[in-house]
Amino acid sequence: MNSGLEKETETRYAEVGLLIAALHANVARLEELTGGEIDTITDHQGQPFLLRRAQAQLRLNDASRLDAILNSLPACIAILDADGAVMSVNQAWAAYDTSLALAAAGPGHAIGTNVLAQCALAGGDGAAQARQVAHGIGQVLSGASRHWSFELACRPGGVASWLLLTVTPLADKNLHGVVVMYMDISERKRGEDELRRFRTAMDCTDDAIFLVNCRTTRFVELNAAASAMLGYSREELLGMGPCDISAESTWPEMAALYQRLMDNSGSSLSDEMALIRKDGSQVQVEFHRQALKSGPDWIIVAVVRDISERKEAALRLQYQAHHDGLTGLPNRALFYDSLTRTLHQATQHDWMVAVLFIDLDNFKTVNDTLGHGVGDDLLVQFASRLLGCVRARDTVGRLGGDEFGVILVMQDELNDAASVAGKIRDVLRAPFVLGQHELNVTASIGITMHPLDASLPDELIKYADTAMYRAKQAGRDTFRFFTAQMNVEVLARLELEKALRRAFENGEFVLHYQPKVALDSGCVAGLEALLRWERPGYGLVAPDVFIGSLEETGLILKVGSWVIDQACRQIGQWLRSSVGALQVSVNVAGRQLAEGDVDGDVIAALECHGVPPELLELELTESSLMLNTERTIKTLKDLKRRGVQVSIDDFGTGYSSLAYLRRFPIDKLKIDIAFIREVTSNPDDAAIVQAILGMARSLKLQVIAEGVETAAQLAFLKRNRCDQVQGYFFSRPLALPELEALLREDRQMQLPAPVTPSYRKTLLLVDDDTHVLSSLRRLLRDDGYHILCAGSAAEGFDLLAQHCVQVIICDQRMPDMSGTEFFDRVKEMYQDSFRIVLSGYTDLDSIMKAVNKGAIYRFYTKPWDNAVLRADLREAFRHYGLLHNLQAGDDKRACPTTGRLSEAAAQLSGAESPPA
């Protein structure tokens, strides 16, 4: 039953389908049958199809909508067929009066009119434009171009107007033709004309003009002067903004300025600033800015004037107002201002300031006898010499007439002022050549100090002037300090210089000699010749009192030459006596190398006294090597080829550069006494000394340690394989008779005992309480230890330098150094030692810090547990033996050198650490 219904339903659907297909094929017949009353039929799938009447209505509706759109446009639009005839137009086209505008070339042709033909017939003024229009339409119609446009000038109603003609092909595939559209662009053209006139006006001014859009912060317009001023093209500047060319202003500052201009529209602001040119240079300009409203935006109009010449002129005027026209130096007003500023800075930084008041002696006589022209020339030359006596940070001024002033900023020494005064006197020694005349001129100088004498500019200048008159009263050609005590010191220095000149002339200088001892034998290996002054009435003057003055005055050149000759004379005398050959070293000052003839002095002395060159050694400081380096290298190499020895004195206190050790022909290094004083107790000094020794061995240089005064220092140096020592431990510098007695006795230095071998269990006890030391010795005497006792940290360091100590017990509270502080240093210098703190006071803070740093091994409080202490000591020695693989009777094992010292030596020398 159901299957019968399904078959029947399928049959009906098939029939309906055939019916709909037939209807699709016979739309016209269907419209006749329905009488046009039915527009749409829907198939069994819900898809409609239109009958012709409905399709026509739809096309009509589409055309109506297109007409509505075209008519709503302000442009004149027409559709031309393939021949150029007008097929359709909008209302704007139809309403356009062709005769009043462009005739054949313009819009307004009636439907059916052939535009191409009309353009071809055009004559008169519009003929050229008509031919161009016809050519453009033909190009698009022929397919030669997809688009063509042209701007036409016209006068509809007698008013000058512009039209923009565009020609494009029809989009309809079934039709061939073009769409022609005329759009009125008169407003745009008038705007362009106005902009052109505006640019022309802008370009007519010499000032640069910039228009800035406040919203985009970019230039929107500028003139040719702006490009010329900054060196950028117009296109480059239009991609930039004000901040890109400003040398001073930031954008937040500029934005705040623009906001003020917008808030006060109509007003202008002026200021001066620097702009950056394309080449990086700067130009000083004057700005005038005003804000203008432009639609929704604000435009900043900036008129910029180059004021570089005006600035330069102002600077010239300012310079002339503050500088002396003759010498170019600051005048009194500027000198006063400079002094005021200097005093302000000096007060802030705690500097000293000296003011020198200088007056040329007998200048009036020069003017009266030789004329003012010669006098002016003298002042100019003196000003030039005066500038050469001061540093760049100091100030020199002409205060009037023949009076000059100098402001000295002194951060280091009080003697700077006296040194400059001395230089001024020295530069005046050379005669002044003034045309046909040659004059010798002197000056009187007054000196005052801030803050010792005064702190106000007026007072300082007045006091310096007063001091200058005191110098005049003292006989001219000198200087005086305003402060009495300073005068005493300076006068004493002057007296010293005079006495030194007399000393050389009178033969008051002598040589003393200090022995150098070889550490492998304890015998005298050489001598250092040291200059001494036997000043009448004063006795033997210490060298640090007069050596500096010898160098400052230049007397060191003569005295140094004498020292070389005297040393060679003595070498020669010993060589021909029972003393025999003995090497002597002589100190050479930097000024001797830079200004003297050291090479000539040495050769002459060696030849004169018949001395083999290898018996003479020259000692130079690191700083002296750096004076006139090339000349110094040549001199030393020439002497080295002859066999003369060269050593570096005070090594480690100057440049300490490995580079000059390669460049200079050096045989020996002398470690400065500053590193030897605390070499047994200061880890840094010990590391430096070991580093120098390791480096010298790598470079095959001998090392001499100067200033050795204790057995501990000697033991440390011998243990680290130093070659020679020099110091009071063996002998102070000796006069010739005492020295020769020492040499004839063949006196030797007692060398330190061999270091306690590491296999021997050595215990160091350090405590300022003798009872505690005695108690510990009694407790531990039967345990087989080699026990050393020290009553202070200093004694402990000395014993550590002379013995190989495995375990140290130290009291925490000692007067000179706490136990933890002592062990902090010991850990750096003797890292393998086991360190135990013993104290009656519990200072957990410092103890815990020491434990954390690894400075101590154990900590005991007094009274201690004897059994525990003895057990821990046995464990410490056992641990040390295991660490170093030591056994009793292992007498060939040296005491190990560990820690930072050997590492520093190895790093500096580039070799393995030296054995102890």
Side-chain angles (χ1 to χ4, degrees), residues 357 359 361 444-448 453 462-488 491:
F357 198 100
D359 184 86
D361 297 327
S444 299
I445 306 170
I447 307 172
T448 188
D453 300 329
K462 181 179 70 174
Y463 291 162
D465 192 9
T466 301
M468 183 272 295
Y469 277 106
R470 291 181 183 173
K472 292 269 190 192
Q473 295 167 358
R476 294 183 172 84
D477 189 23
T478 187
F479 60 89
R480 288 290 183 270
F481 280 91
F482 181 77
T483 304
Q485 180 58 36
M486 285 183 139
N487 273 326
V488 170
L491 290 174

Side-chain angles (χ1 to χ4, degrees), residues 125-202:
D125 295 338
Q129 287 192 139
R131 283 193 291 273
Q132 280 185 290
V133 170
H135 173 75
I137 294 173
Q139 287 288 97
V140 179
L141 283 172
S142 66
S145 174
R146 292 291 299 168
H147 179 82
W148 186 80
S149 63
F150 179 61
E151 292 183 357
L152 303 94
C154 57
R155 300 184 64 83
V159 179
S161 300
W162 283 85
L163 295 179
L164 173 64
L165 166 62
T166 60
V167 182
T168 55
L170 278 172
D172 193 336
K173 296 180 180 178
N174 299 318
L175 296 175
H176 183 58
V178 294
V179 177
V180 176
M181 181 170 66
Y182 289 85
M183 183 175 292
D184 191 341
I185 57 171
S186 302
E187 286 298 323
R188 193 195 78 189
K189 296 294 285 186
R190 278 192 288 273
E192 290 177 355
D193 290 342
E194 290 177 3
L195 180 59
R196 192 177 299 108
R197 287 193 297 272
F198 175 67
R199 286 178 178 169
T200 302
M202 287 173 62

Side-chain angles (χ1 to χ4, degrees), residues 10 292 547 609 723 760 795 801 807 842 847:
E10 290 178 359
L292 299 177
I547 293 294
H609 303 294
D723 298 297
R760 186 175 183 184
E795 291 180 19
V807 181
T842 304
I847 297 299

Side-chain angles (χ1 to χ4, degrees), residues 28-38 51 53:
R29 180 63 178 158
L30 182 62
E31 285 192 336
E32 291 177 6
L33 292 174
T34 59
E37 296 298 328
I38 299 176
L51 300 183
R53 181 171 176 273

